[in-house]
Amino acid sequence: MALPKEGVSIPSSSQFAKLQSGVNKFRILSDIKVGWEGWKNNKPFRQEGNICKIKPEQVDMSTRTGLPNINYFWVMVVWDYREKRISTLEITQKTVMTPLQDLENNSEWGDLNNYDIEINKKVVGDKTSYTVQAIPPKPLSKEITQAYEESEINLNKIFEGGFPITE
């Protein structure tokens, strides 16, 4: 067999990390930007800030809920351990945001940039649940530090309809 027996994954073509079923391990490398995302004709558009200025008539209705397709989100640059690369991670799930906020506000854990995070995604039937776990702090590896330093990243581009990471 030409391929190694272990450690082979086919990278996704997107610079955005996706939460896959099972454990997803990340190191948050940037500050977190917050905003609102609307969907029109299957394409997202985003606005920065905590207050939503997207009007329901500007977006399509969700096929799942029948409500306007508008979501609050967080976006950040991460090291994706599964893909072994710098990625952009967008989170819309409150069940992920709340534990991350709790960790950052906890004096024992603090700044989310100082330790790895595992997000476990479980899908049972049509129900999806998430659990978040912090991994004890450790310094960034040379590989991660070098990859981050060599990357051209501007998270604000996501609010301009562009891609945060220049590839």
Side-chain angles (χ1 to χ4, degrees):
M1 175 175 234
L3 289 173
K5 292 181 181 176
E6 294 180 21
V8 175
S9 68
I10 300 172
S12 63
S13 60
S14 174
Q15 66 176 256
F16 290 91
K18 287 210 163 265
L19 294 178
Q20 299 176 25
S21 288
V23 175
N24 299 268
K25 185 177 176 183
F26 302 104
R27 172 63 77 96
I28 299 171
L29 301 171
S30 70
D31 287 339
I32 297 172
K33 299 271 187 178
V34 301
W36 291 87
E37 177 179 71
W39 287 80
K40 184 72 173 176
N41 300 323
N42 293 320
K43 294 188 181 185
F45 63 95
R46 297 172 181 95
Q47 136 212 332
E48 189 172 6
N50 278 317
I51 299 172
C52 183
K53 297 177 185 164
I54 300 172
K55 308 280 186 243
E57 58 271 11
Q58 294 175 292
V59 298
D60 296 326
M61 294 296 178
S62 168
T63 55
R64 190 175 54 82
T65 65
L67 298 171
N69 207 343
I70 303 171
N71 294 306
Y72 178 71
F73 73 95
W74 292 358
V75 65
M76 65 213 72
V77 177
V78 299
W79 176 260
D80 182 338
Y81 282 94
R82 183 175 289 164
E83 297 290 334
K84 295 183 172 80
R85 68 181 187 156
I86 301 290
S87 295
T88 305
L89 178 62
E90 185 177 326
I91 298 173
T92 58
Q93 302 85 356
K94 290 179 186 174
T95 55
V96 175
M97 291 176 183
T98 301
L100 289 177
Q101 189 171 34
D102 290 345
L103 284 165
E104 176 118 349
N105 292 332
N106 181 307
S107 63
E108 297 292 321
W109 286 100
D111 189 337
L112 293 170
N113 299 111
N114 293 332
Y115 46 91
D116 296 332
I117 299 292
E118 289 183 347
I119 302 171
N120 191 351
K121 178 179 179 180
K122 291 184 183 174
V123 180
V124 179
D126 62 349
K127 300 284 184 193
T128 302
S129 64
Y130 300 90
T131 55
V132 176
Q133 182 168 334
I135 306 301
K138 65 180 178 185
L140 285 176
S141 71
K142 288 181 184 177
E143 176 188 20
I144 296 171
T145 302
Q146 182 177 355
Y148 187 55
E149 289 173 354
E150 292 175 355
S151 298
E152 290 185 41
I153 304 165
N154 181 351
L155 275 178
N156 290 323
K157 285 186 178 181
I158 201 166
F159 301 107
E160 301 164 3
F163 293 98
I165 301 173
T166 304
E167 297 183 324

